Amino acid sequence: QKFQLVPGNLHDSHSTHVKSNPMPIYSQAVAMAEHFKAASSCPICLDYLENPMHLICGYICCLRCMNSLRKGPDGKGVLCPFCPVVSQKNDIRPAAQLGALVSKIKELEPKLRAALQMNPRMRKFQVDMTLDVDTANNYLIISEDLRRVRCGNFRQNRKEQAERFDSALCVLGVPRFTSGRHYWEVNVGTSKVWDVGVCKESVNRQGNVVLSSELGFWTVGLREGQIYFASTKPLTGLWVSPGLHRVGIYLDITTRVISFYNVGDRSHIFTFTKISATEPLRPCFAHADTSRDDHGYLSVCVINNSIASSPIYPGQGNYTLEHRKHPQ
Ligand SMILES: [Zn+2]
Ligand SMILES: [Zn+2]
């Protein structure tokens, strides 16, 4: 019944953030934008609400989407898709104030999109990340430098232990995070089935694993090479700008936010707010693409740090970039 809660949520969570949490402006803007987006979209067409109407129970959708609602049992009125209440014609009223707000949000969207773009300063918080083989499912092949993973067709011969995902095609990363801000990038190549993000150190690793924020996983992923989603409950389908090959992940434990970006065009993909900060968080990777595509793997990127990097000589720059794009 998300639709009925949205306006309330918008108000409550915003005001508690402001009062109790001195969020930096950026994270606050991202969180607010997510709330606005959720509050202004139609549960039927998933687009911005157009001429929003509300039923007697509080359900809201576009005027044109009302036609797709089922009729009441006696053929009169319309049945709410989320509760058993039937609204008669006279009960259905325009949500004029919400309509005005949505048009305003729609108008501001391009600016919002620009404001949500990846901030290059995030790269200051980059971490040197490797994969933790002791947690890797035995069907995952991990490269020798511990930066690359792909799903194989044969079981790897590794010892069985409690930290290992015994059934789910997952592997965790090192380091673990307990405080502060962190940034890393994951090359997803041409993989068609993957998930990246963070999870609680204590997540269940035996048997089936459900990627859900409720169970301690904050991830975005791809299925069948075309469906992107975030591990909210229920899942949130994502619109991702075309050509996503590298995901930028910014974790801020202080404000309990994790954001995902398309590094290619710096666009924002998704932000989870109110993530858990009660125990260490681990970078988390899942790969279930068994196609033999040479670029069908995940790899944690070694990012060029302007402070720590060695000088680049003329002609060397291109080589370095190529080398990173296609690590051996
Ligand atoms: Zn609609
Ligand atoms: Zn209802």
Side-chain angles (χ1 to χ4, degrees), residues 1 3-4 55-59 80-85:
Q1 305 246 341
F3 58 93
Q4 280 161 334
L55 302 185
I56 196 162
C57 61
Y59 181 81
C80 170
F82 283 90
C83 75
V85 175

Side-chain angles (χ1 to χ4, degrees), residues 172-186:
L172 300 185
V174 185
R176 44 172 67 71
F177 304 119
T178 52
S179 63
R181 291 178 268 187
H182 313 278
Y183 177 80
W184 64 101
E185 292 181 358
V186 183

Side-chain angles (χ1 to χ4, degrees), residues 19-297:
K19 265 184 245 144
S20 62
N21 211 344
M23 254 188 173
I25 298 293
Y26 181 79
S27 311
Q28 217 174 68
V30 172
M32 271 176 65
E34 287 295 334
H35 287 308
F36 281 142
K37 228 163 125 185
S40 58
S41 55
C42 167
I44 297 176
C45 63
L46 306 178
D47 207 344
Y48 278 112
L49 281 160
E50 207 179 310
N51 298 316
M53 306 293 288
H54 53 77
L55 302 185
I56 196 162
C57 61
Y59 181 81
I60 293 179
C61 69
C62 312
L63 175 62
R64 57 155 195 260
C65 293
M66 283 275 157
N67 294 328
S68 64
L69 295 181
R70 285 200 293 151
K71 293 239 179 314
D74 55 356
K76 282 186 193 158
V78 290
L79 188 62
C80 170
F82 283 90
C83 75
V85 175
V86 174
S87 302
Q88 298 306 326
K89 211 175 170 190
N90 290 344
D91 300 329
I92 305 170
R93 297 189 183 277
Q97 224 174 346
L98 179 61
L101 187 65
V102 173
S103 350
K104 199 78 208 162
I105 291 171
K106 220 168 142 179
E107 207 181 289
L108 289 173
E109 204 209 67
K111 282 184 198 164
L112 205 60
R113 231 178 243 287
L116 286 181
Q117 273 211 334
M118 204 179 130
N119 185 334
R121 279 180 300 177
M122 285 172 186
R123 286 199 160 128
K124 274 191 197 159
F125 301 102
Q126 65 191 287
V127 281
D128 187 30
M129 190 172 289
T130 52
L131 302 170
D132 178 0
V133 182
D134 289 343
T135 65
N137 179 284
N138 275 328
Y139 280 94
L140 293 180
I141 301 167
I142 311 283
S143 66
E144 224 161 87
D145 66 357
L146 304 178
R147 297 198 196 264
R148 189 156 72 145
V149 57
R150 73 175 300 162
C151 181
N153 293 318
F154 303 101
R155 240 181 118 78
Q156 306 292 300
N157 193 13
R158 301 190 196 106
K159 80 171 183 243
E160 282 180 34
Q161 47 193 3
E163 317 73 309
R164 192 178 302 292
F165 287 91
D166 69 346
S167 165
L169 294 164
C170 294
V171 57
L172 300 185
V174 185
R176 44 172 67 71
F177 304 119
T178 52
S179 63
R181 291 178 268 187
H182 313 278
Y183 177 80
W184 64 101
E185 292 181 358
V186 183
N187 196 335
V188 297
T190 53
S191 306
K192 292 180 178 65
V193 188
W194 52 262
D195 302 277
V196 295
V198 293
C199 66
K200 284 186 188 177
E201 174 101 72
S202 67
V203 290
N204 171 42
R205 301 185 200 175
Q206 309 308 313
N208 274 348
V209 166
V210 178
L211 295 180
S212 163
S213 52
E214 239 188 5
L215 301 171
F217 289 91
W218 295 273
T219 59
V220 300
L222 176 65
R223 292 292 176 273
E224 295 159 31
Q226 51 186 348
I227 305 160
Y228 291 95
F229 62 87
S231 66
T232 50
K233 196 182 175 192
L235 293 176
T236 302
L238 302 175
W239 184 86
V240 171
S241 54
L244 173 63
H245 297 301
R246 196 181 273 217
V247 183
I249 303 170
Y250 178 68
L251 170 68
D252 186 345
I253 295 183
T254 325
T255 57
R256 298 171 54 201
V257 163
I258 183 167
S259 297
F260 298 81
Y261 300 90
N262 179 349
V263 176
D265 63 3
R266 296 170 54 216
S267 61
H268 174 251
I269 297 174
F270 189 75
T271 291
F272 288 92
T273 57
K274 297 183 181 171
I275 63 170
S276 165
T278 54
E279 59 170 287
L281 296 174
R282 298 284 299 267
C284 158
F285 309 82
H287 193 264
D289 187 343
T290 50
S291 63
R292 303 272 177 133
D293 186 335
D294 279 352
H295 299 285
Y297 55 80

